Amino acid sequence: ANDNMNNIEKSLVIIKPDGVRKKIIGEIISRFEKENLTIEKLKMMKISRDLAYKHYQDHKSKNFFNILIDYITSGPVVVMIVSGKNAISRVRELMGSTDSKKAKQGTIRGDFGVDITINVIHGSDSVESAKREIDLFF
């Protein structure tokens, strides 16, 4: 669907409260930069419950929804727009599997995550969700 030869994409990335608490913001950013991805915008904020509901609207019906909301609103987060060639798939590769227990060593979640919920980081999973998420946060 993207006829741009270089396929420059933008992804919304959130370093979640556990990532901020573990003081690995710089480590995570440097992993993206080493892969030649660009940090276009960045801010630290506390996500309101209202914003969290909008962000996680696709998971409303799931039994872990409230845990997700409580967790993402439990402390400050760092929200950024990461861009570059095939940024969405590359960010997801660097993050590792959603379930930190299954994520490979050397990925952000494999190195720092605890489980499927407390997994340090969020990254958009498609061009459409990236656009929606960027509009929510920036």
Side-chain angles (χ1 to χ4, degrees):
N2 189 339
D3 23 18
N4 178 344
M5 297 297 280
N6 290 328
N7 210 19
I8 301 297
E9 296 173 339
K10 294 176 194 267
S11 175
L12 182 89
V13 173
I14 301 172
I15 301 175
K16 297 179 180 178
D18 60 314
V20 173
R21 276 194 287 271
K22 287 176 179 158
K23 298 187 176 10
I24 54 173
I25 298 166
E27 163 78 22
I28 290 171
I29 290 171
S30 107
R31 289 186 184 201
F32 292 137
E33 291 182 329
K34 280 180 192 141
E35 288 299 313
N36 202 24
L37 290 161
T38 301
I39 309 300
E40 274 190 24
K41 287 188 179 177
L42 179 144
K43 64 181 173 184
M44 184 176 256
M45 65 181 291
K46 191 136 171 12
I47 297 179
S48 66
R49 293 188 78 80
D50 183 50
L51 181 55
Y53 283 125
K54 287 180 184 140
H55 176 64
Y56 284 122
Q57 67 185 22
D58 299 348
H59 299 304
K60 251 201 315 263
S61 60
K62 310 217 173 80
N63 58 357
F64 58 81
F65 182 69
N66 287 324
I67 296 165
L68 217 50
I69 300 294
D70 288 344
Y71 160 60
I72 201 73
T73 57
S74 69
V77 298
V78 172
V79 188
M80 55 189 149
I81 298 173
V82 179
S83 67
K85 199 171 175 179
N86 301 314
I88 292 170
S89 58
R90 289 173 56 218
V91 163
R92 295 190 71 75
E93 211 172 291
L94 289 166
M95 291 191 317
S97 171
T98 305
D99 186 346
S100 298
K101 291 187 175 92
K102 294 184 180 128
K104 290 190 199 88
Q105 285 300 297
T107 64
I108 294 166
R109 289 172 174 154
D111 293 349
F112 304 111
V114 175
D115 59 28
I116 199 155
T117 307
I118 301 173
N119 63 4
V120 178
I121 193 164
H122 163 86
S124 307
D125 61 7
S126 69
V127 173
E128 299 71 40
S129 66
K131 188 169 171 8
R132 184 181 79 80
E133 293 169 358
I134 288 167
D135 287 346
L136 274 178
F137 287 94
F138 286 98

